[in-house]
Every structure is written in structure tokens, then in C-alpha cells.
Amino acid sequence: MESSSEYTEISEGRAKIRVPNSSKVFYNPVQEFNRDLSIAVLSVFSEIHHNEKLKTRKRQRSPDENNTTQVEPVKLEIGTQIESGLEILEALAATGLRAIRYALEVPGVKQIYANDISKTAVQIMNQNIEENNVKNLVTSTLYDAAHVMRKRQFESETKFDVVDLDPYGCPTNLLDPAVCSLADNGLLLVTCTDMAVLAGNTPESCYAKYGSISLRSPACHEMALRIVLHTITNVCTRYGRYMEPLLSISADFYIRVFVVIRTSPFMCKTMSSKISTVYKCRGCNMTTLLPLGSAKSDSKNMKFTLLSGPPVDKKCEHCGFPHLVGGPIWTGPLYNTEFLTKLCDYIKTEEAEKKFNTIRRMRGMLGMMQEELQDIPLYYTVPSLTNTVHCEAMPLRYFFSALVGAGYRVSSSHCAQNSVKTDAPQSVVWDVIRTWVQTHPVSEKRLQDSVAARTILSKQSMTEIIFDKKYNTVPKSLQGLVRYQQNPAPYWGPGTKGNSKQKVALSATEVECGTDIKGSK
């Protein structure tokens, strides 16, 4: 028996795992929010998946009768194997914590495969599976993650219902096999922790990894989300498939997307209308989007057309600076409204209250997403706008009141504090700033040193702007909840990459601490 000084015991949700202190197997406590959110999403998705299977089976006709076969509904329980339930692959399982929590907290599961390429990781995983008494639901495997997915694609009659990719850094090398190993209407969960690349620090690296140019801008965190969704779309369309985001979140030092993968060569053609090139001004950071194509339907068919461009002049109309070109990015919805409503209803339950330590943040974050304008890609930040003209900071509610008073829709974004999403034209946004500067003037020295500020403020406002000092609409997501995470600990971030030097390529018979996933129950 190992002494307590030789290992670290970790309790999270209903799972308790032990990790030897000498091990370099990756575990990150900061991502508890990620794991809690994944469990909530899978709990709601499991019910939807089961109901869809039930409808399909009811539509099937009995060979001896004209009536449809009556199928008794099955109550989805936690910890009990259900034949019609979800088959889940956690491709990079490390300690097995996430897979064990899925087994202990997600209802309607058929089988969970917890895979890792590290022999040490799988040994630790097996001990944790044993101690949590989930051997009936969780099977460990010792393979390269891509091999596991290709094996299921080519050697099994059924595919995974859920594939979870949570790597250290970039996941794109695993997207192809993941998309191919998923059943129709299957759920793909992807985490990306290389935010420096996605947020514009190294656009050439972003192109090499994701096939898209990232741009440093105030809206870089949402742009990072949209770059990843574009990459997944690009992978799907190669195989006549398309993706629909159920939920896409930028949080802390990573992004997390939950997308449903469906098969339809026709729908693949419509994806060009949801992918856009980005033009960003070097001076004032204004962004303009140009879709790659247009798809419009009439009473008979869908008409596809190409759009003319560019949508901007050689120099920015507001400040006179040239534009940078980035993207392509996904400009469709970031989430499914109906699914988000069900998810928000689920996390309001007493069961969720007891289950998740990060419940206040989940409610705040998801509640904020419900308030977000779905049809407006990217956002402004008030500090960025005021910094451009070097004026005094403006309270966010003043900015909101001005746009609402001018007749436009506004919301914040879950991606950043002091963010503003609006359908107001860029000229109106600058009219708000110009009106603010009238009572909060900029020093002459500042104007002399900044060409962009001088050019923007020299223009006349064309919109009547009124700041309502009494405007103080408090969104539901702010009422006693957590929306934007503060750094909880020193050296907070993605952590250190786990040690996977013990890479092996073994047949099923050679794997002593893992199991061949083909046909295993």
C-alpha cells in the first residue's frame, strides 16, 4: 500500500483520484470549470440523443405488423450501462479524471473509452478506475489518439457518439480522425490552449496550425473561437459533413467548443456563406467582414453566388490608416439557442447545485451568452475606443445608453469585460466617442502625437447622441454570479505539458494495462 506522502489525492465532483508525486502525468485544477461545463453539456445532450434514437426506433416498422414498433422509454440513470446510450471517447485522458467524472455524473452512458499514449498515465488511470468502481463503464486504452479513432472508423460497425479532444496546445492534427470516427449527429468537444497563437501574437503560426490568419485586436478572443470553428468546418466539408455549434466559449487561457457533426453534401455548400475574411484597420482597429459566398433560398431551390470585394477602401474611412487582412473565420452562430436554453434550465436544478463547484460561474457565463447578440460577429471594447483617441475612460453603461437611445441593439460579450456588441454602424460608434470627447476633451499634445485620434475627432458627428446617466439595466447574468474569472493562483495558466515519452505502438494482445476498443463493452 502506498503511503500518503507518495501520492496526491484529488477530489473533484463525485470522483476521487490519486496521482503519484513522482509522476509527470498532466493534471490541471484550473480547468475544473471546463470539466463541469462538459458534464453539464453531455447530460443535456444525452437526453436529446436518447430521444432521437427512440423516435428512430418507433418509426421502424415491425416485419409482421403494419403498426410501428412500440418502444418503451428508458429512464436515463447515472452509473448504469444503457445499450442505447452514449459511446464516449476521451482521446487524451491522462489521469482519467474527466472520463471517471463522465461515468459518475452523466446519465445515459453505454461505454466510455479513456485513452492515452503514455504507459504511466494508463497505469494510473486503471488504478483510479478501480478505486472509483466504474469498470462497468470506463475502459482504458493505450494507443496514439489518432490510431484509436481510425481504428473505430475502419474496423467497427458503429462509431462514437461523443469524441472529446482536450490536448495541450493545438488539436488540429486530431480533427480529421475525430470527424471521421463520429456517428451522424455525434458531438465533438474540442479544447485549444494555444491562445497566444489564436489571438494574433504569431499569425504565421496560426496559419500553419489552423489555416487562418489571426489578428491582434480588442476582439481577439472571439476571433480565436471563430478561427477554430472555421477549421473544424473545413475538415468536415472534406468528407461531405458539416458542423453546428451547440456551445462555444472563450474562458481563462483556453477556448472550448461543442459542435454536432452531421452528414449532408448539400449543407456543405452553404458553409461558404458562414465563413468570412476579416479586414482590420491598423489605426483604429475597426473590423469589416466579407463572406466568401452567399447562399439564398427561394421557394424552389438554393442559389449560390460570389460576393464582390473588398468591402473597404484602401485607407480606413475613419482614421485614414491602411487595413490588415485576416481570417477566414466562422461568422455563423456561436451556439444553438434551443440547446443553450435547455442547458441553462439544467444548471438551475438542485442536482446541478450540488454537483458542480463552479456552478455560479457556469450560470453567469451561460446567462451572459443568452443575452449576447447572436447575429453580430466580433465586438468592440470601450477602453480600446477611448484609448484610440486618448480621451478619459467612459463607463460601459454610458456607452450602452447612447446606442440604445440612438435606436440600436447592444449587448456585452462573454469573451471580454467592457465589451460591446451592437448593430450600430461604425460611424455611429465613433459619433458616441466624439460626443463624449466634447465634455471630456483630449489634450492638444495627445492630438498632435496621434494621427488616428486627430483624424477621427476632426469629423462632425452625424448622429444625435444622448448619455443617460440613469441608465443602469443590470443583466441577469450579473446578479450575484461570476462572469469573468479572476486569476485564482500564482503562475496561473495552462500548466506544464505531461510527459508522454513512453510512446508505444502495440497490438491489442501486447497491451497489458489497456484494452482493444474494437467491440469492447
Side-chain angles (χ1 to χ4, degrees):
M1 182 88 175
E2 293 175 310
S3 66
S4 58
S5 62
E6 294 177 351
Y7 63 86
T8 301
E9 190 169 282
I10 300 161
S11 294
E12 187 178 294
R14 295 180 183 175
K16 290 184 179 180
I17 66 169
R18 296 196 301 173
V19 181
N21 294 331
S22 60
S23 169
K24 293 185 180 179
V25 173
F26 183 75
Y27 166 72
N28 193 344
V30 177
Q31 290 219 39
E32 183 175 2
F33 173 73
N34 182 326
R35 290 184 282 270
D36 282 354
L37 184 63
S38 300
I39 288 163
V41 168
L42 281 182
S43 298
V44 176
F45 179 77
S46 178
E47 184 178 348
I48 295 172
H49 173 268
H50 179 72
N51 290 338
E52 286 298 320
K53 274 200 169 182
L54 204 62
K55 289 177 184 177
T56 302
R57 291 171 64 186
K58 281 185 176 182
R59 285 196 296 266
Q60 293 174 346
R61 294 187 176 276
S62 169
D64 301 321
E65 302 175 14
N66 291 326
N67 296 327
T68 56
T69 305
Q70 295 299 313
V71 180
E72 291 295 325
V74 178
K75 183 180 179 182
L76 300 183
E77 296 180 353
I78 295 173
T80 303
Q81 192 175 51
I82 298 174
E83 189 59 33
S84 61
L86 298 174
E87 282 198 83
I88 303 171
L89 170 67
E90 190 193 354
L92 305 143
T95 61
L97 173 60
R98 189 184 296 259
I100 291 168
R101 286 196 65 187
Y102 286 169
L104 294 173
E105 300 176 44
V106 176
V109 171
K110 179 181 179 181
Q111 191 69 44
I112 301 167
Y113 301 101
N115 176 76
D116 205 280
I117 197 173
S118 165
K119 207 170 189 177
T120 302
V122 176
Q123 288 169 347
I124 294 169
M125 197 191 307
N126 283 339
Q127 294 172 6
N128 291 327
I129 291 169
E130 183 80 35
E131 291 182 11
N132 283 273
N133 196 27
V134 290
K135 288 181 71 176
N136 64 319
L137 287 177
V138 183
T139 300
S140 67
T141 62
L142 177 61
Y143 283 121
D144 174 78
H147 174 77
V148 171
M149 293 182 279
R150 291 300 187 192
K151 193 173 178 67
R152 175 55 70 106
Q153 176 190 355
F154 293 115
E155 297 185 17
S156 179
E157 293 181 1
T158 60
K159 295 185 178 181
F160 296 117
D161 299 302
V162 178
V163 172
D164 191 337
L165 302 178
D166 190 3
Y168 183 90
C170 177
T172 52
N173 62 318
L174 298 174
L175 290 180
D176 259 85
V179 167
C180 292
S181 66
L182 270 169
D184 211 19
N185 297 316
L187 182 64
L188 176 63
L189 295 72
V190 182
T191 302
C192 304
T193 59
D194 53 342
M195 284 299 291
V197 172
L198 286 165
N201 285 5
T202 54
E204 66 283 354
S205 296
C206 188
Y207 177 78
K209 293 181 177 182
Y210 294 92
S212 182
I213 295 292
S214 57
L215 298 173
R216 294 187 70 175
S217 75
C220 61
H221 287 89
E222 183 178 336
M223 190 167 176
L225 265 180
R226 294 183 178 279
I227 285 173
V228 173
L229 292 173
H230 157 257
T231 304
I232 296 172
T233 298
N234 209 22
V235 171
C236 288
T237 52
R238 297 174 199 164
Y239 304 102
R241 312 191 86 179
Y242 71 101
M243 69 92 192
E244 179 194 349
L246 288 188
L247 189 69
S248 310
I249 280 188
S250 172
D252 306 332
F253 53 83
Y254 63 89
I255 64 174
R256 180 73 161 165
V257 299
F258 305 82
V259 299
V260 173
I261 306 297
R262 298 192 172 96
T263 302
S264 172
F266 174 77
M267 286 300 295
C268 290
K269 299 175 185 178
T270 68
M271 292 297 104
S272 64
S273 63
K274 298 179 181 180
I275 304 293
S276 298
T277 303
V278 183
Y279 293 81
K280 185 190 82 90
C281 173
R282 284 178 177 267
C284 63
N285 288 318
M286 290 287 112
T287 55
T288 306
L289 302 173
L290 177 65
L292 299 186
S294 172
K296 295 182 180 179
S297 59
D298 54 29
S299 57
K300 293 183 179 180
N301 50 34
M302 184 80 74
K303 185 177 181 181
F304 300 97
T305 57
L306 295 177
L307 301 180
S308 300
V312 293
D313 292 332
K314 191 172 183 180
K315 291 188 176 181
C316 174
E317 63 176 304
H318 307 292
C319 68
F321 277 68
H323 292 87
L324 295 172
V325 182
I329 65 170
W330 169 265
T331 47
L334 289 178
Y335 57 84
N336 179 287
T337 305
E338 184 180 352
F339 182 84
L340 183 59
T341 301
K342 289 182 179 179
L343 187 59
C344 288
D345 290 342
Y346 172 76
I347 62 174
K348 290 175 185 175
T349 62
E350 188 177 339
E351 176 193 351
E353 181 82 42
K354 295 177 180 177
K355 185 186 293 187
F356 303 122
N357 288 333
T358 62
I359 187 67
R360 287 180 64 246
R361 189 179 180 201
M362 288 171 66
R363 288 173 178 170
M365 181 77 84
L366 297 177
M368 195 172 191
M369 292 191 76
Q370 283 188 305
E371 297 160 3
E372 247 180 88
L373 293 177
Q374 260 279 63
D375 56 335
I376 308 295
L378 306 182
Y379 54 84
Y380 307 97
T381 63
V382 177
S384 172
L385 293 169
T386 54
N387 286 344
T388 298
V389 298
H390 306 290
C391 71
E392 185 180 321
M394 183 194 307
L396 182 64
R397 63 190 180 92
Y398 279 29
F399 201 94
F400 271 39
S401 70
L403 291 174
V404 170
Y408 298 101
R409 296 180 296 140
V410 294
S411 77
S412 286
S413 166
H414 78 277
C415 297
Q417 297 188 57
N418 293 309
S419 56
V420 179
K421 283 197 168 190
T422 179
D423 58 350
Q426 294 174 3
S427 58
V428 174
V429 172
W430 284 123
D431 282 348
V432 173
I433 298 297
R434 279 187 277 264
T435 305
W436 174 257
V437 169
Q438 290 174 7
T439 54
H440 301 79
V442 182
S443 69
E444 285 299 323
K445 185 179 184 306
R446 289 278 195 175
L447 288 177
Q448 289 175 2
D449 293 342
S450 175
V451 175
R454 193 166 62 246
T455 306
I456 290 168
L457 296 180
S458 66
K459 298 179 184 294
Q460 291 294 319
S461 294
M462 304 300 292
T463 311
E464 183 182 4
I465 300 297
I466 300 173
F467 296 109
D468 182 1
K469 295 183 179 181
K470 296 181 180 179
Y471 184 89
N472 195 26
T473 303
V474 179
K476 291 182 180 179
S477 63
L478 190 56
Q479 298 173 4
L481 301 173
V482 179
R483 303 197 299 178
Y484 304 106
Q485 177 67 45
Q486 302 298 315
N487 290 6
Y491 310 110
W492 181 74
T496 305
K497 188 174 183 179
N499 182 10
S500 60
K501 290 182 179 179
Q502 297 167 317
K503 296 182 180 179
V504 290
L506 304 177
S507 66
T509 56
E510 292 172 313
V511 180
E512 295 178 354
C513 53
T515 306
D516 182 10
I517 71 161
K518 181 190 172 186
S520 57
K521 299 289 185 183

